[in-house]
Amino acid sequence: MAAPAEINKAEAAVTSLPGAEVLVNGIGKTFRRGGRHTVALAGASLRVRAGELVCLLGPSGCGKSTLLRIIAGALPADEGTVTVGGRPVTGPSPDRGMLFQTPMLFSWLTTRNNILFGPRAQRAAGRHERDDPELDADAAALLHRVGLTGFGDAFPHELSGGMKHRAAFARALAARPSLLLMDEPFGALDAITRERMHEFLLDIWDQHRTTILFVTHDIEEAILLGDRVAVMGGTPPGIREVIDIPLARPRHALDTDTEVFLNARRRIRASLRS
């Protein structure tokens, strides 16, 4: 068990995670299968400022997830460049955490060991020298931060849907990333749990200000979460327009009833239809 002083130090380190600037320049991607060519992205360009939360919004098949995977380094682009924190993206990196629609926790590991899986793998590969007491303190701090204190020894099947997503979020933060890439992470949740997860994400982001790119096809979700919304679509698919969201922060579910929110929704819908 980590000492309180070690946990406080770990909490400070997690809270001060630096966000990275993301520069996407002229990204193109074509999938080729059985003689057929499908253009997934063409000339996609976007700048995400350090510590900004930007939503990628559009219908299915508009290239949102493809662009996210390219930024993650999990998929090579056919043309164009991506830099994160000034460094070219050439493959996956622990500096870029990724969250999916399914939490993807390891069923045979406890919540604590799921959170520490990445840092332990990095240590085994010689990428950092954090020792066991420091890692234990990190896990305790993250469990507290995501509201799972007391569930460190629970297995995934013992957690609710929202708790699994919070555990996955803690696991992503454990690597201390400068960029979080979120691919419709709350899409499979019921409406009430989804609203709670929005509040959770906004609260965590307000404390950390890690740069976040959040993929969604839900207009209201994009407006509630994002500093800006990058509207995607068209033929060939790309980024059609980037819209500022002038809602003040901190934000809450009740903001969806405001005139600012409704005006933003009208503008985004017009962009999607154009």
Side-chain angles (χ1 to χ4, degrees):
M1 178 69 69
E6 293 172 328
I7 294 174
N8 290 338
K9 180 180 177 182
E11 280 202 330
V14 170
T15 301
S16 61
L17 294 173
E21 181 183 59
V22 181
L23 293 175
V24 177
N25 184 28
I27 290 295
K29 182 66 180 179
T30 299
F31 292 106
R32 298 169 174 84
R33 298 185 184 91
R36 295 182 59 187
H37 292 182
T38 302
V39 178
L41 282 172
S45 296
L46 178 68
R47 179 194 173 202
V48 182
R49 294 181 285 269
E52 192 174 22
L53 198 166
V54 172
C55 292
L56 303 178
L57 173 73
S60 298
C62 72
K64 305 184 300 296
S65 294
T66 298
L67 180 56
L68 209 70
R69 290 169 61 200
I70 290 171
I71 296 171
L75 181 70
D78 295 334
E79 57 187 33
T81 61
V82 177
T83 61
V84 175
R87 295 186 296 274
V89 171
T90 57
S93 168
D95 291 338
R96 283 168 262 129
M98 194 152 185
L99 291 166
F100 303 92
Q101 190 173 77
T102 302
M104 300 179 70
L105 300 174
F106 297 118
S107 62
W108 60 92
L109 295 180
T110 63
T111 305
R112 180 181 293 102
N113 288 333
N114 264 289
I115 290 171
L116 292 179
F117 182 85
R120 284 170 174 164
Q122 291 177 47
R123 185 178 64 182
R127 293 176 185 161
H128 72 70
E129 298 179 353
R130 282 188 279 169
D131 56 18
D132 284 337
E134 186 176 357
L135 290 179
D136 288 341
D138 277 2
L142 285 164
L143 285 165
H144 173 72
R145 186 57 55 111
V146 302
L148 291 177
T149 299
F151 291 91
D153 294 325
F155 288 90
H157 72 272
E158 299 174 299
L159 304 178
S160 69
M163 293 167 74
K164 289 176 184 177
H165 280 275
R166 284 185 274 149
F169 203 102
R171 183 174 63 182
L173 292 177
R176 300 182 179 176
S178 59
L179 171 65
L180 278 176
L181 302 165
M182 307 182 74
D183 194 356
E184 299 192 62
F186 310 140
L189 298 176
D190 65 82
I192 295 174
T193 304
R194 191 176 192 184
E195 183 174 306
R196 289 173 179 165
M197 289 306 300
H198 288 160
E199 293 174 353
F200 163 75
L201 174 59
L202 288 169
D203 181 60
I204 290 288
W205 180 79
D206 280 336
Q207 297 174 50
H208 291 252
R209 293 302 167 115
T210 300
T211 308
I212 294 178
L213 266 172
F214 188 103
V215 163
T216 180
H217 60 265
D218 186 297
I219 296 173
E220 284 74 18
E221 182 173 64
I223 297 170
L224 182 64
L225 298 179
D227 292 312
R228 293 183 296 148
V229 174
V231 180
M232 298 185 66
T235 306
I239 296 175
R240 304 175 63 165
E241 185 178 6
V242 181
I243 297 173
D244 290 324
I245 305 298
L247 276 176
R249 294 191 184 274
R251 296 179 186 171
H252 307 282
L254 293 177
D255 290 327
T256 58
D257 296 325
T258 64
E259 185 176 355
V260 172
F261 190 98
L262 297 176
N263 287 338
R265 186 170 64 185
R266 280 192 288 268
R267 183 176 175 189
I268 290 172
R269 281 180 171 168
S271 181
L272 288 167
R273 290 196 206 98
S274 64

